[in-house]
Amino acid sequence: MSFGERFLHNPDLFPARAGGEVWGDREIVLELPGGPYRFGGLSRAQAAIVEDRFGELCRPPAAATRLAGSPHALHGLAAGGQEVSCLLFRVEAGAFRTFDLRGWEYSLDCDATPAALRLAGLDLIARLDWRPSLGGALWTPDGGGERFAGIFENFCRVLVAYRLVELGGAVLHSAGVVRHGAAFLFLGRSGAGKTTISAASLARGAEVLSDDINALLPAPGGAQVAKLPFTGDLGERRSTRRHLPLAAVLWLEKASADELTSLSRAAALACLFSCAPFVNSDPHRREALLANLARLLPPPGGGGPLAFNLRFSRAGTFWSILDEKWSQLKPAPS
Amino acid sequence: MVTIEASTVLKRRSDVRFRIVDDEAVVLRQSVAEVLVINEIGARILELADGCNPVSAWVDALLAGYEVERDTLLADVLSFAGELTEQGLLEPVGIETPTAAAIAP
């Protein structure tokens, strides 16, 4: 099946460039890692939904521009050089196929070229273009209905994933848990146990950044984990102010007993790569992704994070094992 | 199945990218979005598979780093080269497999 056929009646009519009739005159700036991200062309209803969904992460355009140079704008204008601009356009609902969604696992159709990425999904047509800086366009027939929040978030997930690779980072399917003043990233594909790990960590009083997707970014003192407002079942969805040094990456395996074993850097890199959504499937950018991850995961002796394979059980004792290991191996303060 | 002999000249497939990390290699197969980890000797073989020198020349290069009889090392390298070829990381020179990008639509 060729690109777009799953979702569109006529994929050949996919827009060749950002253009069309915008939904309205509203503009919102989102302060997400790698941003600010400026979205124009929203209707009043769409803007209200975005503001409700992202809360304090939404800024009036003027305030956001001022914030970009502040310490709150981690890896924003100062690191990336410019904001990311996106526009929202109308498209006829009849352009999309209809589905019986029961029992269906949703994934976007992606088609990458050196200069662009095309996306198709449920009520969603989008493209990212590098001309040479990154910009985006989203076409949807939903002017502010019940599906719009999900459509907008799905577009943002892809946008942030690509933006962070540009900035030397990555977005990772992972559970991010704060302990000992640092972030532990539990990696695994869907069903690996990220939400189970998160719930067990919450029960021990730890903070969960997101149980589904977190950002890894370069910083002068080493890799940092930045909170993203894209969560599964657990985690605050309206704030991303938390960013912490990366303590360890842990590859999850469900087992009958808890066990922690060291992971080589090469194996850890492979795990990180396999958990980097969207970009790891892009033949034009996955090499850059792998290079980023290698830089973000220097040898532990050089101050880099620890890497483990974690076999965990329902007994929930993994944190005791991990705490003990951490006390033995934690990097010396720089 | 390709038979690998001491005189066979192998090269990395065009969609293979790899990065040496400590003693191992992280290998990326671009055409299938697959990432693999291979051990130290596999990493050295990937480096040596330049499409110019036969497998026997790899053995000469590797002998300096391993305390092992040449025949034993040759057998191991031939076996490993066969595995890497089976996995689609190496191909004999002159028997090129089209990559995804080279396949006509």
Side-chain angles (χ1 to χ4, degrees), chain A residues 165-195:
Chain A
V165 170
E166 281 193 331
L167 298 178
V171 163
L172 297 167
H173 271 307
S174 57
V177 178
V178 182
R179 198 159 171 85
H180 307 296
F184 290 73
L185 279 185
F186 297 88
L187 302 160
R189 297 182 187 89
S190 183
K194 296 189 292 292
T195 298

Side-chain angles (χ1 to χ4, degrees), chain A residues 97-105 122 147:
Chain A
R97 295 183 186 278
T98 53
F99 294 89
D100 179 355
L101 301 178
R102 288 173 296 186
W104 195 59
E105 189 170 346
L122 293 172
R147 273 188 166 178

Side-chain angles (χ1 to χ4, degrees), chain A residues 140-207:
Chain A
T140 178
D142 193 322
E146 62 182 21
R147 273 188 166 178
F148 180 74
I151 294 165
F152 187 80
E153 176 172 331
N154 282 330
F155 176 65
C156 286
R157 284 180 178 232
V158 181
L159 181 66
V160 173
Y162 274 87
R163 175 60 171 163
L164 292 190
V165 170
E166 281 193 331
L167 298 178
V171 163
L172 297 167
H173 271 307
S174 57
V177 178
V178 182
R179 198 159 171 85
H180 307 296
F184 290 73
L185 279 185
F186 297 88
L187 302 160
R189 297 182 187 89
S190 183
K194 296 189 292 292
T195 298
T196 304
I197 287 282
S198 299
S201 301
L202 277 175
R204 283 186 69 116
E207 178 190 355

Side-chain angles (χ1 to χ4, degrees), chain A residues 264-271 273-274 280-284 286-287 290-292 294-295 299, chain B residues 15 17-38:
Chain A
S264 72
R265 275 184 71 227
L269 268 182
C271 292
F273 181 88
S274 70
N280 67 1
S281 301
D282 182 334
H284 305 286
R286 59 170 77 114
E287 256 188 282
L290 189 59
N292 286 357
R295 282 191 292 270
Chain B
D15 69 329
R17 306 285 183 272
F18 71 103
R19 176 177 288 271
I20 303 293
V21 178
D22 302 332
D23 289 336
E24 298 177 304
V26 183
V27 185
L28 174 60
R29 284 195 62 200
Q30 285 275 36
S31 61
V32 290
E34 183 178 69
V35 66
L36 306 165
V37 176
I38 59 175

Side-chain angles (χ1 to χ4, degrees), chain B residues 5-24:
Chain B
E5 299 173 344
S7 60
T8 306
V9 178
L10 293 165
K11 67 174 185 176
R12 296 181 293 275
R13 283 189 52 168
S14 60
D15 69 329
V16 169
R17 306 285 183 272
F18 71 103
R19 176 177 288 271
I20 303 293
V21 178
D22 302 332
D23 289 336
E24 298 177 304

Side-chain angles (χ1 to χ4, degrees), chain A residues 72-87:
Chain A
H72 297 294
L74 177 70
H75 304 285
L77 278 181
Q82 54 203 337
E83 66 183 19
V84 179
S85 293
C86 302
L87 283 169

